[in-house]
Amino acid sequence: MSCVNVIEKDRNVIINPLKTCQPLGAMFAVTGINKGFPIVHGSQGCSAFVRYGFARHFREPSEIAVTALHEDAAVFGGRTNLVSGIENLALRFDPDVIGIITTCSSEIIGDDVYGFADTARGNLKEKLGEAADKIEIIPINTPSFVESHYKGYDNAINALVNHLARKDEPNEKVNIIPGIINPGDIRELKHMLASMDTDGIFLTDISDPFDAPLRPSKTKEIPYYPKGGTTIDELRDSANSLGTVSICKYAGSGATSLEREHKVPSAIETPPIGIQNTDQFVRNVSKFTGNSVSEELLDERGMLVDSMADNAARYLYGRKVAIYGDPDLTTGMARFVGELGMEPTMVCTGVKYPDFNPDMEKISKESGSDIDVLYGQDLRAVEVYLKENPVDLLIGNSDGRLIALDLDIPLIRMGFPVYDRVGYQRQSVLGYRGGLYLMDLITNTVLEKYYEPTHWKLQQ
Amino acid sequence: MSCVNVIEKDRNVIINPLKTCQPLGAMFAVTGINKGFPIVHGSQGCSAFVRYGFARHFREPSEIAVTALHEDAAVFGGRTNLVSGIENLALRFDPDVIGIITTCSSEIIGDDVYGFADTARGNLKEKLGEAADKIEIIPINTPSFVESHYKGYDNAINALVNHLARKDEPNEKVNIIPGIINPGDIRELKHMLASMDTDGIFLTDISDPFDAPLRPSKTKEIPYYPKGGTTIDELRDSANSLGTVSICKYAGSGATSLEREHKVPSAIETPPIGIQNTDQFVRNVSKFTGNSVSEELLDERGMLVDSMADNAARYLYGRKVAIYGDPDLTTGMARFVGELGMEPTMVCTGVKYPDFNPDMEKISKESGSDIDVLYGQDLRAVEVYLKENPVDLLIGNSDGRLIALDLDIPLIRMGFPVYDRVGYQRQSVLGYRGGLYLMDLITNTVLEKYYEPTHWKLQQ
Amino acid sequence: MPYKLLEVDKKIPQRKNHVYVKHCSDPDDEIPDCNTKTVPGSMSERGCAFAGVKGVITGAIKDVIHVVHSPIGCTSYGYGTKRYPTTPDMPNGEKFPIENFNLKYILGTDLQESDVVFGGMKKLKKSIIEAHKEFPEATAIYTYSTCTTGLIGDDLDAVAKEASEELGIQVVAFNAPGFCGPSQSKGHHVGNLTLFENLVGTKEPLETTPYDVNLIGEYNIDGDLWIIKEYLEEMGINLLSKFTGDCSHDEICWMHRAKLSLVRCQRSATYIADLIEEKYGVPYIKVDFFSTKYCAENLRTIGKYFGLEEEAEKVIESRMEKVAPEIEFYKSKLQGKRVFIFSGGPKSYHLSKPLEEELGMETVAVASQFEHKDGYEKMKSRVKEGTLIVDDPNSLEFEEIIQVYKPDLILAGVKEKYLAHKLGVPCLLIHSYENGPYMGFEGFVNLAKDMYRNIYSPVWNMLEFEEEPAVGENTEVQEDSSEKQENKPENTGELA
Amino acid sequence: MPYKLLEVDKKIPQRKNHVYVKHCSDPDDEIPDCNTKTVPGSMSERGCAFAGVKGVITGAIKDVIHVVHSPIGCTSYGYGTKRYPTTPDMPNGEKFPIENFNLKYILGTDLQESDVVFGGMKKLKKSIIEAHKEFPEATAIYTYSTCTTGLIGDDLDAVAKEASEELGIQVVAFNAPGFCGPSQSKGHHVGNLTLFENLVGTKEPLETTPYDVNLIGEYNIDGDLWIIKEYLEEMGINLLSKFTGDCSHDEICWMHRAKLSLVRCQRSATYIADLIEEKYGVPYIKVDFFSTKYCAENLRTIGKYFGLEEEAEKVIESRMEKVAPEIEFYKSKLQGKRVFIFSGGPKSYHLSKPLEEELGMETVAVASQFEHKDGYEKMKSRVKEGTLIVDDPNSLEFEEIIQVYKPDLILAGVKEKYLAHKLGVPCLLIHSYENGPYMGFEGFVNLAKDMYRNIYSPVWNMLEFEEEPAVGENTEVQEDSSEKQENKPENTGELA
């Protein structure tokens, strides 16, 4: 029987992490709101590093404010910084939503961000009158020393929903919690929903904010912000949807809250990567809406099946693949790798979630492949592992590029961040069409690396 | 001043051709008809080689009949073969259209395919009665020793239009003559038309026939044929459209015939590759329909512009590119290469069309790049040229792969055929989104080849 | 009723005699009609005679220029289509300066209308001279007649003779225009004859040994020949000449000096073995290296001929040790799987029995594009009762066979592969292979592995979307796939 | 009115003193307020002190382990972000066994809630010991305080001392938590002090020459240092120590033995030069190698110091011969183009004049994230009347500057690049470069080329779809682009 071997970290020190701290996830979530601005209550680095990271991955600007905590705040608290920061932001940027994102510093100092938010609201009311009411100021606790960016994302979505969702007339929509994915992924989800005559409310939607056209004639300036993102009305309306699908298994709190508070049924699943996971997503949407799957989607599915029938046995079967990254993408990818007849011999994630290993067990059984699970591990662990256990392909983010280079294993780029190649943020790995994209990428990488040396084999 | 240097073939012998003979183009055209079957009046090789070529490029079956001429036909003519071939095809495959495609053999023998077609029609009428009337049998003259596959394609489209188009009530559609392009390209054209609220009639449409889903439960068997393709009603209705856009400059006869016979105005252009050519396509559609360009398309354009602003100066500017292939794709690609700030220093096409060199002059001026035009040349000429004049990138079909390998120049695969990598037939090089695809492909190839050796440059 | 009119052939009843169901009470010579003209308008998978000579026979030779005398199509289509890798090693120990020269270039005369009207011989002559100038390293120049040049009556032999004298290297004309003969098989024949008449006996080998053989009809598809070569050389046998896999022009010239000819592909190349035996007295034996059993048997036969029995046993033993566990594994997986073999020529009889006996599969149908009587006799003798044997099946027949015989796997060509897929059946490329070589002991493992991969590719369990999956579909696991790789041996012998 | 309250700053009027328009009648010391805290809630481009020490100073050292004592974020963000390539060459002639070790790894303590509650010193100690075990080849271990560990009061120095004794290699603690100081500049300072106090004077070089220098404040961004090294070595000068581009830990230890220190980045590294001069009497000079003119001037100064004037001239001459025609070409193209330089630190004053004088551009605005008074004085002295000088501009100011000053090109960082693009203005990465190196003669050509490429990228002429293009738009050609590459020189000196 194929089996899963869980290998946990056996050292204290972390070397080349596969995770980052909570605030990033919250900044990502708030950026997905139309006229939504994160304000990070922390040091300048807390926003600068993340803006830098977003810029090099998405190749877009990102407007993230910071309260710029300094030594004095460590002593006297960050009240002035946060209150004035919110006001400055509100007065200069005309936001609809301000998400207050805490950090290690502000959490350790023990700042009462809820109280400070109230103060800021009061001040703004004085300065702006009625106009202040439309600005939602939402505190989001994201202590950096608890869990990871995933938790920060989950906390942010949950805070948004708890703060904003209001029961009203039922709508015919489905809420989607997308997780930390790319603009291209969200566009593919929208395409799938549209194909099933379904409107979605994305909690939240970074597709336009992180992939905006360059059209100076249409660009909003001073302040610049991109069109798109989930509107505040949609966020409010999320209480009235037919259901919530969280395609991020590890960020389902918002879905659970909506179910508990507003009786919106939820489905919390692995992202729709590959055939079976996408089938499951389609079924979930179908279940909530009663709409059946469209011929268009079935044809897209059929095209993926068609190409898998062509390529999987011929070029991919039995190849060993190592996958590292966020737990949802790696789970989805591992299953798809199995569907392609390859063996996901190593899967590494930097965090620990109880569902992860049972999912790996399932995939191991399905694919007939033994899986070494590097659980709560780091990229150094991946490197050390691969030196002893070579694989044919590596799938993960750009942070593994030097490892791939040194070990001479082709790296299929996926996840966040990808900064040493272009265009990945515009692609979807989700849905049937995302499966086609991934399979082409994988197959062509295999052809280049393993077939080109005996090039006549490509003669057909 | 930048200039164009036209280099013609200085030998009789052709070495690794960049063209093939007329029948292929006609088979391609007829395959794009719903329930349309080509019957090649020639030797078995005339269909077998083409089916083989289609199979390895499109990775799809293609049903192309042949009259299987043998020695006796050389002596007595191919009448029996063609008449019985048509009958066998009609009786077993329930076609709507049969395109009779001549070859070198049948043209040299001097077979009267028009007369034979009449005979076959008569015989079918006897056997099938009324049912025979719905089968259109259309002779297409495609002597292999005249011009190239392009001419065969042009002849076929023209024959279809001349045979089928019937003036009737005006429709609100635009005819598109797509040229010899990929299913992905046609899908992108459909997307652009839909975005401009416009229905198209494709003359013809190979998108579904050459990219069909694998869905056994929905598959038409015995005879198998894929859904899609242009219907015979659409072909008839092409006389009533608002206009015809041929995005293949070298296959505009059908457009000209529709203009002459049915007063359907025409625009015959370079394919919409890159920004300016796509703008021109959009303007042409807009001109015929009166519909203005959609925000969706303008956003797609803006995303292409956005990415070009990011990548072109930084990674691509000034790089020398050699392009070879069909005259329309190479012309479109050369212009786009210039738009990216690269230099199309060599462009080679295997055929000769009077418009080609003036187009190169224009691109040379626009891009500020001297262009060596290998005009009516072959792949050996490309190889010899490149040994003396190295470039950074090569763009063309898979037939150049061994040249690229030997010269250590990365090959960007484009055109027909591509058989040593997968998925290219599903991609579009057309439209703004096709531009994004091409730019990503080119940029990532440059990053891999020219930046990876100093990998810190990819650190951002 | 051994002959069967398929449903789809109702309108072309002449096909009945090409479709035969093996029955024990039939006389032995009751076999499908074959090597006759294809029914016009049916979607035969056959190619033409030109494809037979250039595509199959001469295209594998490493050091010659091919000048196709044709309108552009035949030249384009003749470009490096088969997987015929070559080494640069020449018989004199030197290296041919252009790697995979045979895959890399094809030349042609690109005939125009005026050439058709006024004749193309001058253009051909010029082209041959230019070809020599372009590739002076080539040992010889081969030129090919095609439909056009056949019909307009260009005399290629005359041009070849002239050019040869002028250039001082051999120029050989192959007169197999596309329309000649019912299939590519005619081209094989012309290729054999032409090479025999023009080359064999014209040169002497640099050295000879008592163990010199000609390996005939082995084209090194995906490296097949390299496997066999290794076995024979380990036994002490010298491949004096190959015909024509990884071979040089000169090797063919001294085929008359071998002690024995081994004929591998008996459809395409028995001709030349016969001619050499007849004229030079070199005997030949027909050999079969597909599958471990045939391979072992034939190595023994060869060993016996040369008194190298022990050496043969050594080769067999060492290889069997390596492959036996793998074959055992694949047999456990392929047991009972129904296979339909649709080869170009003889693979249908090479493989039918080994797949049954060594891998436990069931051969439910065999077919061939261009086999002749002798081939079908062998085919029939090697299949069991009730097996369908079809000559030159067309695509509708292909579909009907799938519907009726429900194969789990089809071995066929790229033209058929995607049609099979659309009907939900995996199809493995058997002409040029997927992850070959398929010959010899290791090759048979490769074949078994590729069949296994195709049948067990998970995609076949996911063909249709299920609105209501079986309870727990998304969590439960199919016994089949969970087990499938349990005892999977380590990959070995895989070249790709 | 030299200070200017931008429109966007109406609600944060305290920004007025940071925005200055150069006026000739101002007293010299009238410069923007600087090195003060950023306005909360404004979108400053500044980073934190931790970024200043690890990202700028220590991250360039080739042979040390970095252990960040922090919750996971700081460690993740500290991973190989800058383009600091290193060679494996060690001072003793050996090779460091891991290539680009400094880019490849970062280590951290991944602090959890319990560590925050109970203190993280034990975990740090364990981590340092594990780090040594993991990379025994590393020469030393550097560990970093961060906001969390600063606030909970972990004593890194104590842990470093203990660990150092236990491991027998140097462990150095850098106490620059993110919140300390108004910008990354504080981190530079801490880095300088810490390295000086812990390293300098603790080892002796293997050999010395009369021409030994310290190259200080040069981090080898995209290979800058390698260019300067070549010049100096050609002159006969020995780079005894680099601080810290492509340098080893030990080099820093013997900086006190140099005859002269050269201070390249005067913002981040004058501190250590001062300290070395003070304690060890090694004099220093401030150098500038950006642009041909500054580079030549400074090489002459260095040459003069060592009596190597002729050698300096040789270097200058040979390089100028190579680059002069290229610079001439780019000048003809860049003439009159308006540029806005927004550097991290001193590049705003390094580049403003050269772009004007050598390339004919017009510097319309300069800004810096973290410059101090001395830097702004230099900035002011080097720009012409009316130029805007901004300290720590935020993103709305950035937008307004673009609207008002209409630059043709911006030199800035990746966080600003895409905002500039959205507003239709090309933006070149000046912190880590695009196709660098940008220093020295060849580097200045690279910079000119990259500016040229950005400005002349055809995309800027196609920003908007035109419903009704000017007549013949699709056939006519813009004079500009048709000319642009007319005299374009051959590519040279391009590394990428």
Side-chain angles (χ1 to χ4, degrees), chain C residues 130-410:
Chain C
E130 289 168 351
H132 177 65
K133 203 173 142 199
E134 197 77 19
F135 299 112
E137 49 276 89
T139 310
I141 298 174
Y142 294 180
T143 183
Y144 303 85
S145 175
T146 59
C147 292
T148 292
T149 48
L151 289 168
I152 66 177
D154 279 358
D155 181 350
L156 270 71
D157 289 314
V159 175
K161 187 157 180 284
E162 259 187 63
S164 196
E165 280 161 12
E166 206 168 316
L167 297 174
I169 68 166
Q170 198 168 4
V171 181
V172 186
F174 293 82
N175 291 297
F179 57 72
C180 81
S183 75
Q184 48 266 69
S185 177
K186 180 70 183 181
H188 308 153
H189 197 171
V190 170
N192 276 249
L193 282 176
T194 308
L195 288 171
F196 177 77
E197 283 170 8
N198 289 277
L199 274 64
V200 178
T202 63
K203 290 194 184 167
E204 292 300 322
L206 299 175
E207 49 185 332
T208 58
T209 76
Y211 302 103
D212 288 345
V213 300
N214 297 321
L215 179 53
I216 292 178
E218 172 45 52
Y219 307 106
N220 199 29
I221 293 177
D222 215 0
D224 272 353
L225 181 138
W226 293 333
I227 288 204
I228 303 309
K229 185 167 182 258
E230 198 183 281
Y231 300 163
L232 295 177
E233 288 182 351
E234 269 183 49
M235 286 168 60
I237 287 167
N238 179 44
L239 291 193
L240 183 71
S241 302
K242 285 97 63 188
F243 180 97
T244 55
D246 194 16
C247 98
S248 63
H249 175 84
D250 285 354
E251 283 175 52
I252 300 171
C253 300
W254 58 62
M255 286 176 81
H256 59 295
R257 289 300 178 213
K259 303 291 177 293
L260 176 71
S261 292
L262 308 172
V263 184
R264 223 280 302 144
C265 174
Q266 293 142 40
R267 172 74 280 115
S268 64
T270 310
Y271 311 108
I272 198 166
D274 273 326
L275 292 164
I276 292 171
E277 181 173 48
E278 201 176 294
K279 181 156 177 188
Y280 299 103
V282 182
Y284 72 87
I285 53 179
K286 296 181 175 182
V287 291
D288 184 348
F289 298 119
F290 280 108
S291 84
T292 67
K293 201 175 140 210
Y294 290 155
C295 187
E297 273 176 15
N298 282 276
L299 290 178
R300 286 192 183 107
T301 307
I302 297 164
K304 197 167 167 199
Y305 186 91
F306 286 106
L308 299 167
E309 289 92 339
E310 268 178 43
E311 287 78 357
E313 289 309 323
K314 254 196 196 152
V315 167
I316 295 162
E317 208 173 299
S318 68
R319 295 318 189 282
M320 279 310 291
E321 199 172 317
K322 200 168 132 198
V323 305
E326 298 194 62
I327 288 180
E328 207 44 48
F329 168 78
Y330 291 115
K331 184 175 185 177
S332 75
K333 295 305 172 187
L334 296 172
Q335 194 76 43
K337 300 292 180 191
R338 299 163 65 85
V339 64
F340 166 23
I341 310 171
F342 177 12
S343 68
K347 284 198 195 92
S348 288
Y349 65 75
H350 283 311
L351 292 174
S352 61
K353 235 185 170 65
L355 297 193
E356 299 199 322
E357 293 183 354
E358 300 192 39
L359 297 172
M361 301 173 81
E362 189 185 349
T363 304
V364 296
V366 292
S368 164
Q369 283 177 34
F370 51 72
E371 259 301 349
H372 296 203
K373 193 159 172 293
D374 54 336
Y376 282 103
E377 281 164 3
K378 265 183 278 189
M379 233 180 280
K380 179 177 169 189
S381 75
R382 289 181 172 186
V383 297
K384 66 177 190 329
E385 197 69 6
T387 303
L388 191 72
I389 306 174
V390 189
D391 172 62
D392 183 25
N394 58 55
S395 66
L396 285 189
E397 291 167 2
F398 186 76
E399 291 181 47
E400 183 169 336
I401 293 167
I402 289 175
Q403 280 196 354
V404 174
Y405 287 82
K406 301 196 187 318
D408 296 301
L409 178 69
I410 298 169

Side-chain angles (χ1 to χ4, degrees), chain B residues 30 45 73 98 163 178 197 273 280 292 315-316 320 326 358 372 430:
Chain B
V30 174
I98 293 175
H163 203 93
D197 280 327
I273 297 177
Q280 185 58 29
S292 65
Y315 303 126
L316 307 179
K320 291 182 177 8
D326 282 348
D372 288 326
L430 305 186

